[in-house]
Amino acid sequence: MTFFLQMLVTGVVVGSIYGLVALGFVLIYRASGALNLANGEFVIIGPYICLILMTAYKIPFMYALLITLVFSAVLGLVVERLVIRPIQNAPVVSVIMATIGLSSLLGGAVHMIWGHKTRTFPPVFPQTPINIAGVIITPVYLWSFVVVVVLLVIFSLFFKFSKMGNAMRAVADDRQAALSMGMSVKYVYAATWMIAAVVAAVGGVLLGNINGLSPTMSAIGLTVLPVVILGGLDSVLGAIIGGFIIGIVQNLAGGYLDPLVGGGLKDVVPFIIVLLILMLKPHGLFGSRRIERV
Amino acid sequence: MRNLFVRESGNYKTSYSDDMKLFGTTGAKVKALLIVLIVLTLPLFVSNYWIGLFTLCAIASVGAIGLNILTGLTGQISIGVGAFLGVGGYTSAILTSTYGISFWIALPIAGIVTALIGGLFGIPSLRLKGLYLAIATLAAQVIILFVISRWDSLTGGTAGMVLNRPTIGEFSLSTNTGYYYLCAIILLLTVLYATNLIRTRTGRAFLAVRDRDIAAQIMGINLFQYKVMAFAISSFFVGIAGALLAHYTMIVSPELYNFHVSIEYLAMILIGGLGSVFGSILGAVFITLLPVSLSSVIDMLAAFAPDLYQLLSAFKDFVFGAVIIIFLIFEPGGLAHIWLNIKKYFKLWPFSY
């Protein structure tokens, strides 16, 4: 039973990180209808900057994080301006390919600048694990859980009540109509990419605190794809809940089924779920259904 | 007989059959003949190293044409090509190495098995479009590679399998030149098939599905049949390419077919030109030779900065990504479009205005 609970809790906390990274996907998809496959690279660039600031320049964590977030925002803006805007109206395959190219480019740059060694974060959160009813949790996990919940609340409110959030929803719904109502679609896109990059950086810093930092961490960009599909590509709530579900299922499958097939199931189970979901409910659990007209 | 060096300066076709002709002018026929001649006599002029590279280009071209039939012609995005290459390679490896079946039987079977599996994973395409389909094919890739690396008794697991080069009777194709001829001939056949496919009823149905699948369905095109067919035909060629590649490198293992390979093939058809057979070849050659030329650039620069070798793989990734983005932004039509523009310019040269 403790084993089951431990797997469950690990699943929840891993899932909260997934949810955070998935949020970046969803934000960009909502606004521009593009899937940002370079999200994984967005996730690792942030913590690298943060780490360098903390170790090389001895800046305290909070300030380093702040600078990192500003940097990520600028990165998001630059990417939107240089890569995404010119191909806005291109077919889906081109946009997907552009983000894949971007991921290759950024990944190569990270490799060239920071090398391929795994680096450890200086301890930011308390290291002593907390023991709740026999289940062991490290504080980093708790923090990531808290951050995810806070961000979920913030974004729900943001999309519901703020002017920018409403503009984003309008643009996602119908770009032409939004344009003719006098909204600046360009501005909305830029803001979306900025926010998505910042969210990715937050997720990256948490992830870096858990596992240490290496360029291979960008694989999370692909790992998280099942999460967004499960939750629905355009649902913030779906991203978070999908994150928890995938995290839990992945850990349970890893814990119970891995010995039967010889390992590696953790990475595959999410994709099996994806195929099932796509067959049964193509728009995910919370995604909005689109009606096609000719 | 018209002058071969004068190009048609307008469109003088007066009937459908004229318009549909594979080789519209005498010039086109001569050109096709010349290309075949150049391809077949190439080994006489270049070194063994280059023949090896050209073999890889030819194999990649077969795969790229296959993918282009699916993505360029039918508009179904697949980012799981790597796994289908793997299916082809492994089928051939299992048939020839484990069961001792001749390569000449194993090659078409590899294509057919891949076509079946491709068709199977093509079924979701009926309900899924665009991004969702892309992710479904990505899922296919992950699942297929997982099965390959875990099915130890059949595939040798993560260690992979070893293959031999094929033989014709007493004559072995173990030299680079021999294998180059095999791949070149298969490439020529593939090109012939693909260019013909576009002219047929099936090809036109594919184009209609690409442009607007619901509209196509209303006009009486059986979407399910044609979408699955596109997946199957495309996977057939990808499987053949996978088998050829496996017998060329003489080894198969799951890492050789990872996500990066899928991206490379997608990049080939995007840089080459979506929906263009000639473009697929240009793109395949471009993407195959890009890392090679980058390596030689690094070799030259390494004389000044010896540390550069450690950066090589990262540098390749960087340039690969940059090239993709630059093409998408500045020449979405790809190399095929550039070639077309050059041809257009010379059509009326030197009197173009």
Side-chain angles (χ1 to χ4, degrees):
Chain A
M1 195 58 203
T2 329
F3 182 68
F4 175 77
L5 271 183
Q6 181 70 55
M7 284 293 149
L8 200 67
V9 171
T10 315
V12 170
V13 284
V14 170
S16 63
I17 302 266
Y18 284 171
L20 205 56
V21 179
L23 205 58
F25 273 111
V26 170
L27 288 174
I28 286 174
Y29 183 80
R30 280 179 75 106
S32 53
L35 197 62
N36 178 19
L37 287 177
N39 206 10
E41 274 67 26
F42 280 28
V43 170
I44 59 168
I45 288 178
Y48 264 114
I49 303 277
C50 192
L51 185 69
I52 297 300
L53 287 175
M54 282 168 72
T55 51
Y57 297 100
K58 308 281 180 231
I59 298 173
F61 176 69
M62 280 324 283
Y63 294 111
L65 183 67
L66 219 68
I67 300 173
T68 306
L69 295 188
V70 171
F71 178 86
S72 298
V74 173
L75 179 73
L77 279 180
V78 168
V79 163
E80 196 273 340
R81 184 69 196 89
L82 292 184
V83 181
I84 305 300
R85 198 178 295 176
I87 57 159
Q88 251 176 46
N89 298 318
V92 186
V93 60
S94 302
V95 181
I96 292 183
M97 205 56 209
T99 58
I100 291 178
L102 191 65
S103 103
S104 184
L105 184 127
L106 292 177
V110 167
H111 255 274
M112 282 199 282
I113 298 171
W114 289 300
H116 57 271
K117 283 202 194 83
T118 305
R119 300 172 183 223
T120 46
F121 246 78
V124 174
F125 303 104
Q127 295 295 299
T128 39
I130 303 166
N131 191 330
I132 306 170
V135 177
I136 296 156
I137 310 170
T138 23
V140 185
Y141 283 131
L142 273 183
W143 271 104
S144 61
F145 185 75
V146 172
V147 169
V148 167
V149 174
V150 169
L151 278 179
L152 172 65
V153 174
I154 290 177
F155 276 108
S156 306
L157 295 176
F158 172 73
F159 277 117
K160 194 108 190 151
F161 297 110
S162 80
K163 198 173 169 188
M164 193 58 187
N166 275 319
M168 279 180 182
R169 283 200 302 169
V171 169
D173 197 41
D174 191 335
R175 194 163 50 154
Q176 294 286 329
L179 264 175
S180 56
M181 297 298 284
M183 285 173 212
S184 169
V185 171
K186 274 190 214 164
Y187 186 55
V188 169
Y189 278 5
T192 312
W193 278 82
M194 202 174 80
I195 296 174
V198 168
V199 171
V202 172
V205 169
L206 287 171
L207 204 61
N209 266 298
I210 294 170
N211 287 337
L213 206 51
S214 77
T216 50
M217 216 171 86
S218 63
I220 194 165
L222 288 183
T223 318
V224 157
L225 274 179
V227 172
V228 277
I229 290 294
L230 178 66
L233 270 172
D234 53 0
S235 161
V236 172
L237 182 69
I240 310 276
I241 294 187
F244 287 134
I245 296 178
I246 296 278
I248 291 167
V249 172
Q250 197 183 33
N251 271 286
L252 289 182
Y256 286 103
L257 298 178
D258 250 4
L260 302 179
V261 292
L265 207 57
K266 245 184 169 177
D267 304 322
V268 182
V269 162
F271 283 97
I272 296 175
I273 298 177
V274 160
L275 269 192
L276 289 177
I277 282 284
L278 285 176
M279 294 270 197
L280 302 173
K281 208 169 177 334
H283 297 280
L285 296 178
F286 299 93
S288 60
R289 183 173 278 276
R290 290 210 179 243
I291 298 165
E292 272 200 65
R293 297 189 174 86
V294 181
Chain B
M1 179 97 176
R2 295 197 359 241
N3 186 341
L4 286 181
F5 297 99
V6 176
R7 308 194 62 88
E8 277 188 348
S9 59
N11 198 343
Y12 296 116
K13 285 150 188 161
T14 49
S15 67
Y16 276 120
S17 57
D18 255 2
D19 200 33
M20 302 271 294
K21 263 184 196 158
L22 206 49
F23 306 112
T25 56
T26 329
K29 267 180 216 160
V30 172
K31 205 169 68 188
L33 210 66
L34 266 179
I35 290 172
V36 172
L37 266 180
I38 289 172
V39 167
L40 293 184
T41 54
L42 203 60
L44 302 177
F45 307 115
V46 296
S47 67
N48 201 27
Y49 172 70
W50 278 98
I51 294 173
L53 284 181
F54 283 132
T55 312
L56 284 176
C57 288
I59 295 171
S61 301
V62 173
I65 290 173
L67 181 62
N68 221 336
I69 290 175
L70 182 66
T71 305
L73 280 189
T74 325
Q76 311 296 308
I77 305 164
S78 166
I79 40 181
V81 199
F84 292 118
L85 275 179
V87 172
Y90 266 97
T91 311
S92 189
I94 291 162
L95 288 176
T96 54
S97 298
T98 313
Y99 296 105
I101 294 170
S102 154
F103 167 80
W104 306 102
I105 302 170
L107 182 69
I109 292 181
I112 291 166
V113 168
T114 318
L116 288 177
I117 295 181
L120 185 72
F121 280 99
I123 292 174
S125 71
L126 191 65
R127 290 186 72 183
L128 305 175
K129 264 168 226 168
L131 291 172
Y132 287 93
L133 181 63
I135 294 170
T137 54
L138 181 65
Q141 159 131 17
V142 174
I143 293 168
I144 290 175
L145 283 188
F146 178 76
V147 170
I148 287 178
S149 59
R150 288 285 166 261
W151 200 344
D152 282 356
S153 56
L154 191 67
T155 63
T158 44
M161 296 176 77
V162 179
L163 295 85
N164 290 315
R165 291 276 174 89
T167 54
I168 310 176
E170 295 295 300
F171 180 67
S172 164
L173 293 179
S174 58
T175 61
N176 270 359
T177 317
Y179 205 70
Y180 167 79
Y181 276 118
L182 172 69
C183 296
I185 289 168
I186 289 180
L187 174 61
L188 289 175
L189 291 176
T190 311
V191 169
L192 201 64
Y193 177 84
T195 39
N196 271 311
L197 178 74
I198 300 172
R199 307 188 306 147
T200 59
R201 188 185 169 86
T202 315
R204 287 193 299 274
F206 284 170
L207 290 176
V209 171
R210 176 190 68 184
D211 290 342
R212 195 93 173 108
D213 57 351
I214 294 177
Q217 192 172 25
I218 292 169
M219 295 200 308
I221 288 168
N222 185 341
L223 266 194
F224 182 73
Q225 185 193 331
Y226 279 106
K227 278 186 174 174
V228 172
M229 196 198 263
F231 266 93
I233 292 176
S234 151
S235 303
F236 178 82
F237 287 113
V238 173
I240 295 276
L244 286 175
L245 189 64
H247 284 277
Y248 179 71
T249 54
M250 297 199 275
I251 188 166
V252 285
S253 93
E255 305 96 79
L256 295 176
Y257 304 109
N258 56 18
F259 182 56
H260 192 74
V261 179
S262 306
I263 298 175
E264 273 184 357
Y265 273 82
L266 259 186
M268 282 175 199
I269 63 168
L270 271 167
I271 287 176
L274 280 178
S276 154
V277 174
F278 182 55
S280 318
I281 299 174
L282 288 179
V285 172
F286 185 89
I287 293 291
T288 313
L289 296 185
L290 182 67
V292 180
S293 48
L294 283 181
S295 299
S296 51
V297 168
I298 290 272
D299 274 345
M300 271 192 281
L301 291 178
F304 308 106
D307 301 344
L308 279 175
Y309 278 114
Q310 294 163 3
L311 295 177
L312 185 60
S313 74
F315 182 61
K316 278 179 189 166
D317 281 351
F318 183 81
V319 174
F320 178 69
V323 165
I324 292 174
I325 294 174
I326 289 169
F327 261 94
L328 283 172
I329 294 175
F330 295 108
E331 188 54 270
L335 290 167
H337 193 236
I338 295 179
W339 173 248
L340 216 63
N341 280 345
I342 295 172
K343 249 166 69 172
K344 256 187 212 155
Y345 177 76
F346 281 105
K347 213 167 190 177
L348 295 171
W349 188 83
F351 298 116
S352 54
Y353 50 90

mmCIF file of all heavy atoms in Angstrom, chain B residues 84-112:
data_model
loop_
_atom_site.group_PDB
_atom_site.id
_atom_site.type_symbol
_atom_site.label_atom_id
_atom_site.label_comp_id
_atom_site.label_asym_id
_atom_site.label_seq_id
_atom_site.Cartn_x
_atom_site.Cartn_y
_atom_site.Cartn_z
ATOM 1 N N PHE B 84 9.144 3.828 -39.307
ATOM 2 C CA PHE B 84 8.787 3.024 -40.474
ATOM 3 C C PHE B 84 10.029 2.588 -41.242
ATOM 4 O O PHE B 84 10.078 1.480 -41.777
ATOM 5 C CB PHE B 84 7.812 3.789 -41.372
ATOM 6 C CG PHE B 84 6.475 3.975 -40.719
ATOM 7 C CD1 PHE B 84 5.987 5.232 -40.434
ATOM 8 C CD2 PHE B 84 5.717 2.876 -40.356
ATOM 9 C CE1 PHE B 84 4.770 5.398 -39.804
ATOM 10 C CE2 PHE B 84 4.496 3.023 -39.722
ATOM 11 C CZ PHE B 84 4.021 4.294 -39.450
ATOM 12 N N LEU B 85 11.037 3.468 -41.271
ATOM 13 C CA LEU B 85 12.333 3.046 -41.819
ATOM 14 C C LEU B 85 12.821 1.830 -41.034
ATOM 15 O O LEU B 85 13.323 0.861 -41.605
ATOM 16 C CB LEU B 85 13.362 4.155 -41.652
ATOM 17 C CG LEU B 85 13.485 5.262 -42.677
ATOM 18 C CD1 LEU B 85 14.567 6.214 -42.230
ATOM 19 C CD2 LEU B 85 13.834 4.708 -44.032
ATOM 20 N N GLY B 86 12.655 1.922 -39.708
ATOM 21 C CA GLY B 86 13.084 0.834 -38.842
ATOM 22 C C GLY B 86 12.347 -0.449 -39.131
ATOM 23 O O GLY B 86 12.942 -1.523 -39.182
ATOM 24 N N VAL B 87 11.029 -0.342 -39.346
ATOM 25 C CA VAL B 87 10.243 -1.540 -39.644
ATOM 26 C C VAL B 87 10.776 -2.203 -40.912
ATOM 27 O O VAL B 87 10.995 -3.419 -40.955
ATOM 28 C CB VAL B 87 8.748 -1.193 -39.803
ATOM 29 C CG1 VAL B 87 7.978 -2.402 -40.308
ATOM 30 C CG2 VAL B 87 8.172 -0.725 -38.492
ATOM 31 N N GLY B 88 11.035 -1.389 -41.932
ATOM 32 C CA GLY B 88 11.588 -1.935 -43.175
ATOM 33 C C GLY B 88 12.928 -2.610 -42.936
ATOM 34 O O GLY B 88 13.162 -3.734 -43.362
ATOM 35 N N GLY B 89 13.803 -1.898 -42.247
ATOM 36 C CA GLY B 89 15.136 -2.423 -41.987
ATOM 37 C C GLY B 89 15.090 -3.714 -41.198
ATOM 38 O O GLY B 89 15.742 -4.700 -41.543
ATOM 39 N N TYR B 90 14.272 -3.714 -40.140
ATOM 40 C CA TYR B 90 14.203 -4.905 -39.288
ATOM 41 C C TYR B 90 13.566 -6.083 -40.014
ATOM 42 O O TYR B 90 13.999 -7.228 -39.855
ATOM 43 C CB TYR B 90 13.439 -4.598 -37.999
ATOM 44 C CG TYR B 90 14.357 -4.192 -36.876
ATOM 45 C CD1 TYR B 90 14.577 -2.864 -36.578
ATOM 46 C CD2 TYR B 90 15.029 -5.155 -36.139
ATOM 47 C CE1 TYR B 90 15.443 -2.492 -35.561
ATOM 48 C CE2 TYR B 90 15.889 -4.805 -35.117
ATOM 49 C CZ TYR B 90 16.087 -3.472 -34.825
ATOM 50 O OH TYR B 90 16.933 -3.110 -33.834
ATOM 51 N N THR B 91 12.520 -5.812 -40.821
ATOM 52 C CA THR B 91 11.901 -6.920 -41.548
ATOM 53 C C THR B 91 12.931 -7.600 -42.435
ATOM 54 O O THR B 91 13.066 -8.834 -42.428
ATOM 55 C CB THR B 91 10.747 -6.398 -42.433
ATOM 56 O OG1 THR B 91 9.925 -5.558 -41.647
ATOM 57 C CG2 THR B 91 9.942 -7.528 -43.003
ATOM 58 N N SER B 92 13.680 -6.771 -43.155
ATOM 59 C CA SER B 92 14.685 -7.338 -44.043
ATOM 60 C C SER B 92 15.759 -8.069 -43.241
ATOM 61 O O SER B 92 16.202 -9.158 -43.617
ATOM 62 C CB SER B 92 15.299 -6.224 -44.881
ATOM 63 O OG SER B 92 16.100 -6.769 -45.868
ATOM 64 N N ALA B 93 16.140 -7.470 -42.104
ATOM 65 C CA ALA B 93 17.182 -8.096 -41.285
ATOM 66 C C ALA B 93 16.728 -9.453 -40.770
ATOM 67 O O ALA B 93 17.467 -10.438 -40.829
ATOM 68 C CB ALA B 93 17.537 -7.183 -40.115
ATOM 69 N N ILE B 94 15.480 -9.497 -40.260
ATOM 70 C CA ILE B 94 14.978 -10.750 -39.701
ATOM 71 C C ILE B 94 14.868 -11.810 -40.795
ATOM 72 O O ILE B 94 15.287 -12.956 -40.631
ATOM 73 C CB ILE B 94 13.611 -10.517 -39.017
ATOM 74 C CG1 ILE B 94 13.820 -9.667 -37.766
ATOM 75 C CG2 ILE B 94 12.944 -11.830 -38.670
ATOM 76 C CD1 ILE B 94 12.559 -9.010 -37.257
ATOM 77 N N LEU B 95 14.334 -11.402 -41.966
ATOM 78 C CA LEU B 95 14.139 -12.381 -43.041
ATOM 79 C C LEU B 95 15.467 -12.904 -43.558
ATOM 80 O O LEU B 95 15.626 -14.103 -43.760
ATOM 81 C CB LEU B 95 13.330 -11.751 -44.181
ATOM 82 C CG LEU B 95 11.854 -11.520 -43.881
ATOM 83 C CD1 LEU B 95 11.185 -10.809 -45.040
ATOM 84 C CD2 LEU B 95 11.152 -12.838 -43.596
ATOM 85 N N THR B 96 16.431 -11.997 -43.769
ATOM 86 C CA THR B 96 17.684 -12.467 -44.381
ATOM 87 C C THR B 96 18.611 -13.108 -43.353
ATOM 88 O O THR B 96 19.187 -14.156 -43.616
ATOM 89 C CB THR B 96 18.429 -11.313 -45.082
ATOM 90 O OG1 THR B 96 18.603 -10.248 -44.141
ATOM 91 C CG2 THR B 96 17.672 -10.814 -46.279
ATOM 92 N N SER B 97 18.744 -12.508 -42.189
ATOM 93 C CA SER B 97 19.728 -13.036 -41.237
ATOM 94 C C SER B 97 19.186 -14.212 -40.436
ATOM 95 O O SER B 97 19.872 -15.218 -40.258
ATOM 96 C CB SER B 97 20.187 -11.932 -40.275
ATOM 97 O OG SER B 97 20.805 -10.901 -40.992
ATOM 98 N N THR B 98 17.940 -14.108 -39.940
ATOM 99 C CA THR B 98 17.423 -15.186 -39.095
ATOM 100 C C THR B 98 16.921 -16.352 -39.925
ATOM 101 O O THR B 98 17.193 -17.508 -39.630
ATOM 102 C CB THR B 98 16.278 -14.663 -38.210
ATOM 103 O OG1 THR B 98 16.704 -13.425 -37.632
ATOM 104 C CG2 THR B 98 15.948 -15.644 -37.103
ATOM 105 N N TYR B 99 16.164 -16.035 -40.997
ATOM 106 C CA TYR B 99 15.548 -17.107 -41.763
ATOM 107 C C TYR B 99 16.291 -17.448 -43.053
ATOM 108 O O TYR B 99 15.897 -18.346 -43.780
ATOM 109 C CB TYR B 99 14.087 -16.766 -42.080
ATOM 110 C CG TYR B 99 13.257 -16.663 -40.823
ATOM 111 C CD1 TYR B 99 12.866 -15.439 -40.317
ATOM 112 C CD2 TYR B 99 12.879 -17.813 -40.132
ATOM 113 C CE1 TYR B 99 12.121 -15.344 -39.155
ATOM 114 C CE2 TYR B 99 12.143 -17.735 -38.967
ATOM 115 C CZ TYR B 99 11.756 -16.500 -38.481
ATOM 116 O OH TYR B 99 11.049 -16.419 -37.317
ATOM 117 N N GLY B 100 17.341 -16.689 -43.365
ATOM 118 C CA GLY B 100 18.150 -17.005 -44.525
ATOM 119 C C GLY B 100 17.447 -16.865 -45.860
ATOM 120 O O GLY B 100 17.799 -17.500 -46.844
ATOM 121 N N ILE B 101 16.433 -16.019 -45.907
ATOM 122 C CA ILE B 101 15.723 -15.793 -47.163
ATOM 123 C C ILE B 101 16.526 -14.820 -48.018
ATOM 124 O O ILE B 101 17.199 -13.928 -47.495
ATOM 125 C CB ILE B 101 14.313 -15.237 -46.868
ATOM 126 C CG1 ILE B 101 13.480 -16.307 -46.157
ATOM 127 C CG2 ILE B 101 13.611 -14.796 -48.154
ATOM 128 C CD1 ILE B 101 12.186 -15.815 -45.620
ATOM 129 N N SER B 102 16.469 -15.007 -49.331
ATOM 130 C CA SER B 102 17.232 -14.151 -50.233
ATOM 131 C C SER B 102 16.799 -12.683 -50.100
ATOM 132 O O SER B 102 15.628 -12.369 -49.872
ATOM 133 C CB SER B 102 17.039 -14.613 -51.671
ATOM 134 O OG SER B 102 17.243 -13.537 -52.548
ATOM 135 N N PHE B 103 17.762 -11.781 -50.241
ATOM 136 C CA PHE B 103 17.506 -10.342 -50.159
ATOM 137 C C PHE B 103 16.445 -9.907 -51.155
ATOM 138 O O PHE B 103 15.613 -9.060 -50.871
ATOM 139 C CB PHE B 103 18.819 -9.599 -50.436
ATOM 140 C CG PHE B 103 18.640 -8.127 -50.696
ATOM 141 C CD1 PHE B 103 18.477 -7.247 -49.653
ATOM 142 C CD2 PHE B 103 18.647 -7.638 -51.999
ATOM 143 C CE1 PHE B 103 18.313 -5.894 -49.886
ATOM 144 C CE2 PHE B 103 18.477 -6.280 -52.236
ATOM 145 C CZ PHE B 103 18.310 -5.417 -51.177
ATOM 146 N N TRP B 104 16.457 -10.540 -52.344
ATOM 147 C CA TRP B 104 15.557 -10.100 -53.417
ATOM 148 C C TRP B 104 14.105 -10.392 -53.098
ATOM 149 O O TRP B 104 13.216 -9.763 -53.643
ATOM 150 C CB TRP B 104 15.967 -10.734 -54.742
ATOM 151 C CG TRP B 104 17.399 -10.441 -55.003
ATOM 152 C CD1 TRP B 104 18.451 -11.289 -54.836
ATOM 153 C CD2 TRP B 104 17.939 -9.185 -55.393
ATOM 154 N NE1 TRP B 104 19.618 -10.634 -55.100
ATOM 155 C CE2 TRP B 104 19.334 -9.348 -55.456
ATOM 156 C CE3 TRP B 104 17.392 -7.938 -55.700
ATOM 157 C CZ2 TRP B 104 20.190 -8.314 -55.808
ATOM 158 C CZ3 TRP B 104 18.233 -6.911 -56.061
ATOM 159 C CH2 TRP B 104 19.617 -7.102 -56.112
ATOM 160 N N ILE B 105 13.870 -11.371 -52.218
ATOM 161 C CA ILE B 105 12.502 -11.607 -51.756
ATOM 162 C C ILE B 105 12.230 -10.744 -50.530
ATOM 163 O O ILE B 105 11.142 -10.189 -50.372
ATOM 164 C CB ILE B 105 12.307 -13.106 -51.419
ATOM 165 C CG1 ILE B 105 12.615 -13.936 -52.665
ATOM 166 C CG2 ILE B 105 10.899 -13.375 -50.929
ATOM 167 C CD1 ILE B 105 12.699 -15.398 -52.396
ATOM 168 N N ALA B 106 13.263 -10.608 -49.677
ATOM 169 C CA ALA B 106 13.080 -9.868 -48.419
ATOM 170 C C ALA B 106 12.782 -8.393 -48.684
ATOM 171 O O ALA B 106 11.996 -7.779 -47.970
ATOM 172 C CB ALA B 106 14.325 -9.997 -47.551
ATOM 173 N N LEU B 107 13.407 -7.826 -49.725
ATOM 174 C CA LEU B 107 13.225 -6.385 -49.977
ATOM 175 C C LEU B 107 11.767 -6.011 -50.232
ATOM 176 O O LEU B 107 11.225 -5.149 -49.533
ATOM 177 C CB LEU B 107 14.126 -5.940 -51.134
ATOM 178 C CG LEU B 107 14.076 -4.462 -51.475
ATOM 179 C CD1 LEU B 107 14.698 -3.638 -50.364
ATOM 180 C CD2 LEU B 107 14.798 -4.174 -52.789
ATOM 181 N N PRO B 108 11.103 -6.682 -51.207
ATOM 182 C CA PRO B 108 9.683 -6.330 -51.377
ATOM 183 C C PRO B 108 8.839 -6.678 -50.167
ATOM 184 O O PRO B 108 7.907 -5.916 -49.834
ATOM 185 C CB PRO B 108 9.236 -7.150 -52.599
ATOM 186 C CG PRO B 108 10.320 -8.089 -52.883
ATOM 187 C CD PRO B 108 11.567 -7.583 -52.267
ATOM 188 N N ILE B 109 9.168 -7.759 -49.460
ATOM 189 C CA ILE B 109 8.377 -8.098 -48.271
ATOM 190 C C ILE B 109 8.541 -6.998 -47.220
ATOM 191 O O ILE B 109 7.568 -6.601 -46.567
ATOM 192 C CB ILE B 109 8.801 -9.471 -47.700
ATOM 193 C CG1 ILE B 109 8.403 -10.579 -48.674
ATOM 194 C CG2 ILE B 109 8.119 -9.725 -46.354
ATOM 195 C CD1 ILE B 109 8.744 -11.960 -48.212
ATOM 196 N N ALA B 110 9.770 -6.482 -47.088
ATOM 197 C CA ALA B 110 9.999 -5.387 -46.137
ATOM 198 C C ALA B 110 9.091 -4.213 -46.473
ATOM 199 O O ALA B 110 8.472 -3.606 -45.593
ATOM 200 C CB ALA B 110 11.463 -4.956 -46.163
ATOM 201 N N GLY B 111 9.012 -3.905 -47.793
ATOM 202 C CA GLY B 111 8.132 -2.820 -48.219
ATOM 203 C C GLY B 111 6.689 -3.105 -47.865
ATOM 204 O O GLY B 111 5.979 -2.244 -47.342
ATOM 205 N N ILE B 112 6.259 -4.342 -48.124
ATOM 206 C CA ILE B 112 4.839 -4.670 -47.910
ATOM 207 C C ILE B 112 4.495 -4.664 -46.420
ATOM 208 O O ILE B 112 3.460 -4.124 -46.020
ATOM 209 C CB ILE B 112 4.514 -6.042 -48.546
ATOM 210 C CG1 ILE B 112 4.591 -5.908 -50.070
ATOM 211 C CG2 ILE B 112 3.141 -6.531 -48.131
ATOM 212 C CD1 ILE B 112 4.620 -7.218 -50.803
#
